[in-house]
């Protein structure tokens, strides 16, 4: 019987075990905060802060940008091509005497909230132990750890998008659903990272829950309508700046020379980039350098299975579901991940500089959900080691980032 004990708590958890689970989850959040603290006052988000100041001045264009990198001009005015949510989050930060620090603290808080919501999602679908497993896997066993610590223009947007996706999943799959709120959360995530919006249909299907009743169909429609309405704010912004809702202005900004050459030759999205991006996402590996720590992450990208080996459990409910509904839910989760990743795989840039494959953060919560369905009937001897390995790999990533100046010249 002991061998068949599953990760899910079948009995009502005792006060002692509940306390331990809370300690572990808050421990993950604390580690995220401590890791981000050394650079908490760095000026790594000029685009979002500049845009926030412009919004406070009643303008959607920037008068004097802090940097010209990834900045374009229209009619003599400057703009950033990024979706507006990070700038909106930065609005209260620029009202303080410490805008950089305040904004970074908000990003750390967003990461911590995402970890807690992942734990609650795991509680609901796998039991208390599965919830703690999910919190550790997301917080310390994925690129969220380094993204929270880096918290620059690009990684800050990933953290906010991930929070939107986790919130949407939590609201769409609870017993007392909140489909409108779920759609709003996913829509907000798409205002941080546009690709997140491609998961609207799978999330609507998850909210429907396979029901053919009017209630299920209504929930799906509410998710879709809410997500589209929120995302339309980005389309309105584009139309106001460029005259077309589908024009992002990305091709007019100042790019890194290597990206600029590829962009001119093939455009921002092309099947030409897919083989390179698939290779990095699936089999990308570390590289050797002649200085400590000697084995370092490839800044161009690394395999998601190397950074988060617990993702292997996301396959389990597809091939060996513990109940029929698990296979259907996992299938929608995989469809969401594939839908979101299409834009990434066709994109001109791999996400450099990064640890792992930062674009995966846009779809990672969906496969975390599928993984919870996969581990809830497994023993700790099977479910635990991949998460422990993921934590070690990401801790190595944090060490590599801390020593970046010493070895980065060998990989540029």
């Amino acid at each position: 019987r002991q061998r068949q004990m599953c990760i899910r708590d079948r009995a009502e958890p005792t006060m002692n075990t509940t306390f331990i689970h809370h300690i572990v989850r808050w421990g993950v959040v604390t580690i995220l905060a401590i890791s981000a603290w050394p650079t908490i006052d760095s000026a790594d988000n000029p685009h979002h802060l500049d845009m926030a100041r412009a919004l406070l001045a009643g303008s959607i264009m920037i008068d004097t940008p802090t940097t010209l990198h990834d900045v374009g001009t229209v009619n003599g005015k400057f703009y950033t091509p990024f979706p507006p949510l990070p700038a909106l989050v930065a609005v209260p930060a620029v009202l303080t005497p410490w805008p950089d620090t305040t904004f970074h603290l908000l990003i750390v808080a967003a990461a911590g909230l995402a970890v807690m919501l992942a734990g609650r999602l795991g509680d609901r679908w796998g039991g208390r132990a599965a919830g703690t497993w999910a919190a550790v896997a997301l917080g310390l066993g994925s690129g969220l750890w380094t993204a929270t610590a880096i918290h620059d223009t690009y990684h800050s947007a990933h953290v906010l998008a991930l929070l939107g996706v986790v919130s949407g999943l939590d609201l769409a799959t609870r017993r007392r659903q909140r489909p409108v709120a779920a759609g709003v959360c996913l829509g907000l995530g798409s205002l941080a990272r546009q690709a997140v919006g491609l998961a609207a249909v799978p999330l609507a299907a998850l909210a429907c829950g396979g029901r053919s009743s009017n209630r299920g169909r209504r929930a799906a429609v509410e998710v879709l309508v809410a997500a589209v309405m929120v995302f339309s704010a980005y389309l309105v912004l584009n139309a106001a700046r460029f005259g077309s809702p589908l024009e992002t202005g990305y091709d007019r900004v100042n790019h890194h020379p290597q990206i600029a050459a590829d962009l001119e030759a093939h455009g921002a999205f092309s099947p030409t980039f897919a083989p390179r991006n698939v290779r990095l996402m699936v089999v990308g590996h570390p590289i050797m350098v002649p200085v400590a720590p000697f084995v370092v992450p490839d800044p161009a990208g690394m395999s998601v299975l190397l950074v988060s080996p617990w993702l292997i459990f996301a396959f389990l409910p597809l091939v060996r579901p513990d109940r029929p509904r698990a296979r259907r839910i996992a299938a929608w989760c995989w469809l969401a991940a594939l839908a979101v990743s299409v834009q990434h795989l066709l994109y001109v840039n791999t996400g450099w500089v990064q640890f792992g494959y930062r674009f995966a953060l846009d779809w990672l919560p969906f496969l975390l959900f599928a993984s919870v369905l996969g581990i809830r009937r497994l023993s700790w001897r099977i479910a635990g080691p991949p998460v422990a390995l993921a934590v070690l790999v990401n801790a190595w990533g944090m060490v590599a980032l801390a020593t970046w100046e010493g070895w980065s010249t060998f990989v540029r």
Side-chain angles (χ1 to χ4, degrees):
R1 284 177 70 90
Q2 287 184 343
R3 282 187 221 157
Q4 296 175 350
M5 287 179 64
C6 60
I7 198 171
R8 183 174 183 176
D9 297 324
R10 296 176 180 273
E12 189 70 22
T14 66
M15 183 178 298
N16 187 44
T17 58
T18 300
F19 176 74
I20 292 174
H21 288 301
H22 281 303
I23 288 295
V24 172
R25 298 179 198 197
W26 278 108
V28 172
V29 174
T30 302
I31 292 173
L32 289 178
I34 293 174
S35 301
W37 189 254
T39 56
I40 201 69
D41 60 347
S42 60
D44 290 332
N45 284 274
H47 304 88
H48 303 323
L49 294 174
D50 285 349
M51 188 62 195
R53 295 185 183 97
L55 292 175
L56 282 174
S59 174
I60 57 174
M61 306 296 285
I62 301 170
D63 286 331
T64 307
T66 305
T67 176
L68 292 179
H69 178 66
D70 278 346
V71 172
T73 58
V74 173
N75 299 324
K77 294 286 188 177
F78 298 94
Y79 71 90
T80 66
F82 310 111
L85 181 65
L88 293 172
V89 172
V91 166
V94 299
L95 294 174
T96 70
W98 318 278
D100 295 295
T101 299
T102 303
F103 181 73
H104 292 160
L105 288 173
L106 292 173
I107 296 302
V108 173
L113 180 56
V115 168
M116 288 301 190
L117 289 176
R120 188 163 73 174
L121 186 68
D123 289 344
R124 187 180 308 121
W125 289 90
R128 183 78 67 175
T132 300
W133 184 95
V136 175
L138 181 63
L140 301 181
S142 79
L144 179 61
W145 190 357
T146 50
T148 306
I150 296 174
H151 50 59
D152 61 4
T153 292
Y154 316 98
H155 291 85
S156 296
H158 280 296
V159 173
L160 293 175
L162 183 143
L163 175 59
V165 175
V166 174
S167 301
L169 275 171
D170 175 60
L171 292 164
T173 60
R174 60 173 59 178
R175 186 178 297 276
R176 293 186 177 180
Q177 293 175 308
R178 299 291 187 269
V180 173
V184 168
C185 287
L186 187 76
L188 288 172
S190 70
L191 292 185
R193 296 279 305 164
Q194 304 98 315
V196 166
L198 298 172
V201 171
L203 184 66
L206 289 171
C208 179
R211 296 174 302 217
S212 58
S213 63
N214 289 333
R215 180 182 175 187
R217 288 191 289 268
R218 183 170 62 250
V221 171
E222 289 176 353
V223 169
L224 287 173
V225 171
V228 170
M229 289 184 66
V230 174
F231 184 72
S232 65
Y234 178 58
L235 303 180
V236 171
L237 177 64
N238 288 340
R241 292 190 296 187
F242 313 119
S244 170
L246 300 181
E247 172 62 59
T248 65
Y250 189 79
D251 56 344
R252 309 183 194 182
V253 304
N254 296 308
H255 293 287
H256 186 279
Q258 180 178 344
I259 297 176
D262 288 341
L263 190 68
E264 184 177 357
H266 306 287
F269 298 94
S270 171
T272 304
F273 307 127
R276 175 199 63 189
N277 294 338
V278 170
R279 176 180 58 80
L280 287 171
M281 185 181 71
V282 178
V283 297
H285 54 80
I287 55 182
M288 300 286 294
V289 294
V291 296
F294 303 109
V295 179
V296 299
D298 186 346
M302 290 193 309
S303 168
V304 293
L305 289 174
L306 174 63
V307 175
S308 300
W310 52 264
L311 282 170
I312 60 174
F313 294 121
F315 294 98
L316 203 55
L318 294 178
V319 297
R320 287 187 57 192
D322 58 355
R323 61 192 73 171
R325 191 182 179 196
R327 174 175 285 163
R328 182 171 61 247
I329 293 172
W332 281 114
C333 288
W334 273 99
L335 284 173
L338 292 173
V340 173
S341 65
V342 165
Q343 180 174 325
H344 303 147
L345 297 179
L346 298 177
Y347 188 47
V348 64
N349 186 12
T350 67
W352 197 89
V353 174
Q354 61 186 323
F355 173 74
Y357 186 72
R358 66 178 173 89
F359 293 156
L361 292 173
D362 295 345
W363 48 257
L364 196 68
F366 286 102
L367 294 195
L368 178 70
F369 185 21
S371 297
V372 167
L373 301 181
I375 60 99
R376 62 184 177 180
R377 299 297 180 191
L378 297 181
S379 70
W380 276 108
R381 289 181 300 176
I382 298 176
V387 169
L389 178 59
V391 173
L392 290 175
V393 169
N394 284 274
W396 162 69
M398 292 297 299
V399 171
L401 289 176
T403 57
W404 165 263
E405 294 299 329
W407 57 265
S408 58
T409 54
F410 295 97
V411 298
R412 287 174 179 170

